[in-house]
Amino acid sequence: MTRLALLATSFLTVLCLAFSASVATAQGVIVIHHPHPHPLPRPIPRPRPAPQPELSYKISKLEVNANTKDQVAQVQVAQEFTNTGSRQMEVSFLFPLPYDGAIDSLTLMVDGKEFPAKLLPKDKAREVYESIVRSNKDPALLEWTGTGMFQTSVFPVPAGASREVNITYSQLLKKDGRLTDFLFPLSTAKYSDKPVEKVKVRLAIEASQKLKSIYSPTHEVDIDRNGNKRAVVKFEKENYIPSNDFRLFFESNNEKLSASVISYRPSKNEEGFFLMLASPPPRDEMAEAMKKTVLFVVDRSGSMSGEKMDQAREAAKYVLNHLNEKDLFNIIAYDSDVESFRPELQSADKKSITEAIGFVDGLYAGGSTNIDGALTSAMKMVQDDDRPCYILFLSDGRPTHGETNEMKIVENAKGNNSYDARMINFGVGFDVNSRLMDRLSREIKGQSQYVRPDEDLEEHVARLYRKINAPVMTDVKIKFDLEDGGQNFVNRLLPKEVYDLFDGEQLVQVGRYKKAGKAKITITGSVNGEKEKFDFPADFVKESNDQSNAFVEKLWAIRRIGQIIDEMDLNGKNDELMTELVKLSTDHGILTPYTSFLADENQSVQELADARFGGSMSLSRLRAETEKLAETSGRSAFLQRGFKQRYQNAQNAPAAESAPAMRPAADRASSASGVAGGMAGPGAGAYGLAVQDTETDEYKVVESVRNVGNKTLFYRDNIWVDEESAEKLAKNKTETVEIERFSKEYFDLVAKNSKEENLVLSQQRADETLMVWLRGKNYLIK
């Protein structure tokens, strides 16, 4: 029988919908009255051969439309749900809300009829939540403890009928330094045993000053800018169970270049984490574009014959047709021999472009692959001038002619790069030497992209060229200084160095910091040969009061894992790096193809703790798993380098479905990353982590690891245990306090917990045992 969501003092069945626009959350639930309580439904992607129950439902859509003007947000939420059961449901609506008075108006409409809502104060709301948990023997709603609540009157929903609930409210958005913070908790839609058919978030932003950074740490959003002061941000998914809240930061000012810092320091005794957003202004269409040099180096060896050669020609034509008049360019084609369009760089005038297109049309595939010769020719063409130079290098194979040693090829290219050209590499197909591509991009200040055999090469080249076509500032340097004169207080920056800023690009840099306080960020660089300098204020907090910015730590961890894999790939493995990789993986629940053994529930708690600190068993398994990094070409090598690159360039870090690190297992087939994530539990049929197999390109669902807020839970010895508890137990540094679920002691603990701590408790299912470290104590909850 399908599990229903049943609530509370009058044995109510619940279907969840939540919403908010501040860090203090405001959430809502639809309530179905029913005499027999059951635990809340949980997301179960696997089909179950069960008859349709007498009472059941589905959510057809969850749609959020918001307009913000500076700090004021007007929000409308529409949820459509259908009674798929065989009898009428009696439904009411609960709307928990924060105590900070953030919401100044609220309207609830059901099929066009307005329903009154009664405000329940904090103590009464807590009674309702606790009675829900006791009645259903399910702690899923504990994360709401500590909020007030509106409650509406009851309305009927006939069998087979649909109802749409509309909520509108306005509020003043929170500011975090220079950034305005918009939050909408989609995650309560996870309390549905079926995916929501359609989830849509649309946020229209209007600012009185120019819009600069627009950044979501939780979702991959589409951003459409309309002029300098308006933008529309969109997120859409079908058949989707949201497992984390939607959050967006934006900044507006009239400065030419903008930068802001978000810092997070969970303990004042340890280094903190920070994220810096830097946004150059959109280029004035009337202003002269920065002059640049573009060299397109294209593989025409025999393996490029057919569709790949056709796409390479079209990619070259795209670049040619989008050069600016004052740019310089050339095209170099290589097989066994190296041929260039002209012996030297050409001006991008109409005549030269027309002739270059004719040269491209005459390219055909045949012969071997002389990579070293092609790069030597390209580097020798670069001129000593103030303009930046970009070498777009394309290959689909291994070097087979001339110099074939990859280290020597890189050494030659680096030695010939006298004028600081940047290499943008496109590895086409599984046969490409992907390690050589990564070595080249690392040593020559560039990046690599990997194009699968079934993907369109022209589309990849065009997408990346659109970014580099309009550099705004080159030779960028970033400096951090504390107001009290302290320097060198930041470290482990990712990316370590920033070279250029482009029109429409947003720099996302993360790092660690040793000292707290007010600081100044200085960004310098060249604009058409002229040096420019910008200063910005920043605040590095001494200690964070809550986990609202915990995503910064997770994003840093994801990028650091990518950097570690890159170090081991290009420079060789060592125990120190491998120990750090395992610890980051266990601390943050970020499984990789090399650390998936951590999901083995047959390991003991002691073995899990040992793994976090370089235990011999974990290092032995990691050494075996990372042997595949020695592969230079082939399917596995191609997939590994793409996986590594996505971690290094991660733009956000959702708590339970991170991108690029994690996505819901049900959506893993379309994931562009290595690991999917969500809630999990052996035997529960729930969401799990999906780890990419870099041999087969398939995903394996892991149900013995859960990411909950900023904690990671592992299934060991028939207990869900968090990484901190495992560490303390292994070192015999703690006594364990046993608590019976739903007892007085249990709810006393709930009352003392933060929202984030109660979120951990809310994941405990029926017949599960949980061990968790809370505020210096180890709790075993049965």
Side-chain angles (χ1 to χ4, degrees):
M1 177 176 178
T2 303
R3 284 194 251 172
L4 299 178
L6 296 171
L7 286 184
T9 40
S10 57
F11 303 107
L12 307 173
T13 301
V14 178
L15 163 63
C16 296
L17 161 69
F19 73 89
S20 169
S22 74
V23 173
T25 58
Q27 303 168 333
V29 292
I30 293 171
V31 180
I32 307 165
H33 294 249
H34 191 268
H36 304 295
H38 289 278
L40 284 167
R42 307 297 182 109
I44 301 176
R46 293 196 286 263
R48 294 169 297 167
Q52 188 181 58
E54 194 174 10
L55 282 179
S56 65
Y57 60 84
K58 69 176 181 180
I59 305 175
S60 304
K61 74 173 182 181
L62 176 55
E63 188 170 319
V64 181
N65 284 285
N67 294 305
T68 70
K69 188 168 184 180
D70 296 323
Q71 274 187 263
V72 179
Q74 302 285 339
V75 185
Q76 182 182 54
V77 185
Q79 182 210 21
E80 183 178 77
F81 64 99
T82 302
N83 180 356
T84 57
S86 58
R87 62 174 177 167
Q88 179 169 290
M89 297 187 301
E90 296 297 321
V91 174
S92 62
F93 195 86
L94 301 182
F95 179 63
L97 79 167
Y99 298 119
D100 60 4
I103 295 177
D104 61 34
S105 65
L106 182 146
T107 303
L108 173 66
M109 303 289 291
V110 181
D111 290 341
K113 181 180 179 181
E114 185 172 344
F115 278 73
K118 177 183 179 182
L119 176 63
L120 301 182
K122 176 180 177 180
D123 291 343
K124 180 61 178 176
R126 178 182 170 184
E127 289 179 16
V128 172
Y129 288 129
E130 291 187 2
S131 61
I132 291 170
V133 173
R134 287 191 183 98
S135 297
N136 297 281
K137 303 299 181 185
D138 186 342
L141 297 182
L142 287 180
E143 61 190 289
W144 294 355
T145 300
T147 66
M149 176 192 297
F150 276 100
Q151 184 171 15
T152 71
S153 56
V154 176
F155 55 93
V157 183
S162 295
R163 290 288 183 268
E164 182 170 303
V165 175
N166 288 275
I167 305 155
T168 61
Y169 64 91
S170 62
Q171 74 172 138
L172 184 68
L173 300 180
K174 177 185 174 183
K175 290 206 77 168
D176 190 332
R178 294 153 58 96
L179 296 166
T180 302
D181 186 359
F182 177 88
L183 177 73
F184 185 96
L186 290 173
S187 63
T188 49
K190 67 194 175 193
Y191 298 123
S192 169
D193 56 2
K194 299 175 184 177
V196 182
E197 292 183 2
K198 185 175 183 179
V199 175
K200 180 178 179 181
V201 178
R202 184 183 187 275
L203 177 61
I205 304 171
E206 180 181 350
S208 55
Q209 296 182 310
K210 294 179 180 178
L211 273 173
K212 300 301 177 104
S213 296
I214 301 176
Y215 171 71
S216 173
T218 57
H219 291 77
E220 296 176 4
V221 296
D222 293 324
I223 301 173
D224 296 323
R225 291 179 181 264
N226 181 16
N228 289 332
K229 298 181 180 180
R230 289 181 173 82
V232 175
V233 180
K234 296 179 182 178
F235 171 77
E236 294 187 33
K237 277 282 188 178
E238 293 183 356
N239 298 315
Y240 175 63
I241 296 181
S243 55
N244 66 291
D245 299 336
F246 178 88
R247 195 171 184 188
L248 189 87
F249 292 98
F250 60 91
E251 178 184 1
S252 62
N253 58 62
N254 288 326
E255 297 171 9
K256 185 174 181 180
L257 188 145
S258 179
S260 291
V261 162
I262 301 172
S263 60
Y264 175 67
R265 196 176 190 180
S267 171
K268 62 182 178 182
N269 298 319
E270 298 179 4
E271 290 187 358
F273 303 84
F274 75 92
L275 175 148
M276 185 187 71
L277 300 173
S279 301
R283 187 173 66 86
D284 188 339
E285 296 297 329
M286 302 300 293
E288 181 182 14
M290 182 183 289
K291 295 175 288 188
K292 64 184 182 296
T293 297
V294 177
L295 288 162
F296 195 94
V297 184
V298 58
D299 188 345
R300 64 175 183 186
S301 61
S303 58
M304 286 287 293
S305 62
E307 186 177 4
K308 283 196 286 189
M309 196 67 238
D310 292 339
Q311 290 182 356
R313 292 191 198 97
E314 294 305 312
K317 290 179 186 178
Y318 179 92
V319 173
L320 290 168
N321 286 322
H322 287 81
L323 291 169
N324 300 316
E325 286 187 4
K326 294 189 178 181
D327 289 343
L328 298 178
F329 79 98
N330 210 338
I331 299 172
I332 298 169
Y334 68 97
D335 45 37
S336 307
D337 301 317
V338 179
E339 179 186 6
S340 59
F341 164 56
R342 292 286 186 266
E344 57 190 22
L345 295 174
Q346 300 293 298
S347 297
D349 54 46
K350 187 175 181 180
K351 180 175 181 295
S352 295
I353 297 298
T354 301
E355 291 174 352
I357 289 175
F359 174 81
V360 169
D361 283 334
L363 296 178
Y364 60 90
S368 302
T369 308
N370 187 1
I371 290 176
D372 184 64
L375 292 179
T376 298
S377 295
M379 292 298 180
K380 288 182 177 180
M381 288 185 184
V382 182
Q383 296 181 353
D384 181 14
D385 57 19
D386 292 328
R387 68 181 68 208
C389 177
Y390 302 98
I391 298 175
L392 278 62
F393 175 68
L394 184 152
S395 177
D396 80 329
R398 300 173 292 254
T400 57
H401 188 85
E403 181 59 70
T404 58
N405 182 284
E406 67 178 68
M407 297 296 289
K408 290 184 178 179
I409 292 173
V410 174
E411 183 180 336
N412 291 341
K414 186 177 180 180
N416 289 323
N417 187 23
S418 303
Y419 303 117
D420 215 20
R422 279 74 153 143
M423 278 196 69
I424 312 296
N425 303 321
F426 297 90
V428 185
F430 295 140
D431 290 335
V432 69
N433 186 324
S434 53
R435 190 172 68 184
L436 171 59
M437 288 288 195
D438 278 6
R439 288 193 191 280
L440 286 167
S441 61
R442 178 169 171 169
E443 295 296 330
I444 310 180
K445 299 182 179 180
Q447 60 179 288
S448 297
Q449 287 204 359
Y450 295 103
V451 185
R452 291 168 177 262
D454 58 348
E455 291 181 320
D456 190 333
L457 169 62
E458 179 191 356
E459 181 181 332
H460 276 261
V461 173
R463 183 169 60 247
L464 188 56
Y465 182 76
R466 282 194 294 269
K467 186 183 89 168
I468 69 170
N469 185 43
V472 175
M473 178 180 285
T474 61
D475 299 320
V476 173
K477 303 293 182 185
I478 304 173
K479 186 180 178 184
F480 298 84
D481 296 296
L482 285 172
E483 284 187 357
D484 64 7
Q487 296 182 348
N488 302 319
F489 70 102
V490 301
N491 60 85
R492 293 197 172 190
L493 297 173
L494 301 169
K496 185 177 181 179
E497 294 181 284
V498 178
Y499 304 114
D500 305 323
L501 294 177
F502 299 96
D503 180 27
E505 182 190 35
Q506 182 165 272
L507 169 65
V508 179
Q509 186 179 46
V510 291
R512 305 293 301 269
Y513 65 95
K514 302 174 185 177
K515 294 177 64 178
K518 301 290 183 181
K520 180 177 72 173
I521 305 169
T522 304
I523 299 179
T524 58
S526 297
V527 179
N528 273 329
E530 299 293 328
K531 293 292 183 181
E532 294 207 27
K533 177 180 177 181
F534 304 92
D535 295 334
F536 309 96
D539 186 12
F540 292 83
V541 299
K542 184 175 182 180
E543 186 173 17
S544 298
N545 296 322
D546 55 40
Q547 295 183 16
S548 59
N549 290 335
F551 68 88
V552 178
E553 179 181 356
K554 187 117 180 187
L555 178 58
W556 181 87
I558 292 171
R559 287 193 176 185
R560 176 58 183 161
I561 284 175
Q563 184 187 45
I564 290 172
I565 296 171
D566 187 52
E567 288 287 340
M568 294 194 299
D569 182 15
L570 303 185
N571 297 325
K573 301 186 287 291
N574 64 62
D575 287 355
E576 185 178 350
L577 285 175
M578 289 192 289
T579 298
E580 185 181 357
L581 174 59
V582 174
K583 190 173 188 306
L584 287 169
S585 188
T586 55
D587 281 354
H588 300 280
I590 304 170
L591 297 186
T592 74
Y594 316 107
T595 58
S596 57
F597 64 85
L598 294 170
D600 182 4
E601 64 187 83
N602 294 315
Q603 288 183 332
S604 67
V605 171
Q606 178 70 52
E607 289 171 327
L608 175 64
D610 287 346
R612 300 181 69 230
F613 298 99
S616 58
M617 180 179 295
S618 66
L619 286 181
S620 175
R621 296 185 70 168
L622 187 54
R623 288 189 190 101
E625 292 292 338
T626 52
E627 284 301 317
K628 63 185 73 172
L629 284 171
E631 300 172 5
T632 61
S633 60
R635 185 187 188 96
S636 177
F638 179 98
L639 296 173
Q640 287 184 83
R641 269 86 202 196
F643 170 89
K644 173 185 70 175
Q645 182 192 79
R646 290 189 292 273
Y647 271 71
Q648 288 177 291
N649 300 327
Q651 294 294 299
N652 46 35
E657 55 157 343
S658 132
M662 290 156 286
R663 289 187 185 277
D667 190 41
R668 62 189 181 276
S670 62
S671 173
S673 65
V675 182
M679 296 175 294
Y687 267 14
L689 300 179
V691 184
Q692 184 183 22
D693 186 325
T694 53
E695 298 291 338
T696 65
D697 202 14
E698 296 179 349
Y699 288 82
K700 174 186 176 183
V701 177
V702 173
E703 294 189 337
S704 57
V705 183
R706 291 178 185 167
N707 290 313
V708 186
N710 216 34
K711 281 186 176 290
T712 303
L713 304 178
F714 294 87
Y715 195 69
R716 294 291 189 274
D717 301 327
N718 299 316
I719 297 174
W720 282 103
V721 56
D722 77 351
E723 73 284 358
E724 289 179 288
S725 289
E727 176 186 338
K728 302 297 182 182
L729 285 171
K731 294 183 176 181
N732 295 317
K733 286 189 175 182
T734 182
E735 294 183 4
T736 300
V737 179
E738 293 192 15
I739 291 182
E740 183 180 350
R741 277 205 304 173
F742 317 127
S743 65
K744 179 182 183 301
E745 292 78 11
Y746 178 82
F747 285 106
D748 287 343
L749 178 65
V750 168
K752 295 176 183 177
N753 285 345
S754 66
K755 181 194 171 191
E756 290 80 10
E757 290 166 339
N758 280 332
L759 179 61
V760 178
L761 269 59
S762 75
Q763 304 305 306
Q764 190 175 5
R765 317 292 173 81
D767 303 321
E768 289 183 350
T769 301
L770 173 67
M771 183 176 289
V772 59
W773 184 260
L774 297 171
R775 300 183 304 284
K777 287 187 178 181
N778 197 46
Y779 291 92
L780 181 67
I781 303 173
K782 295 182 177 181

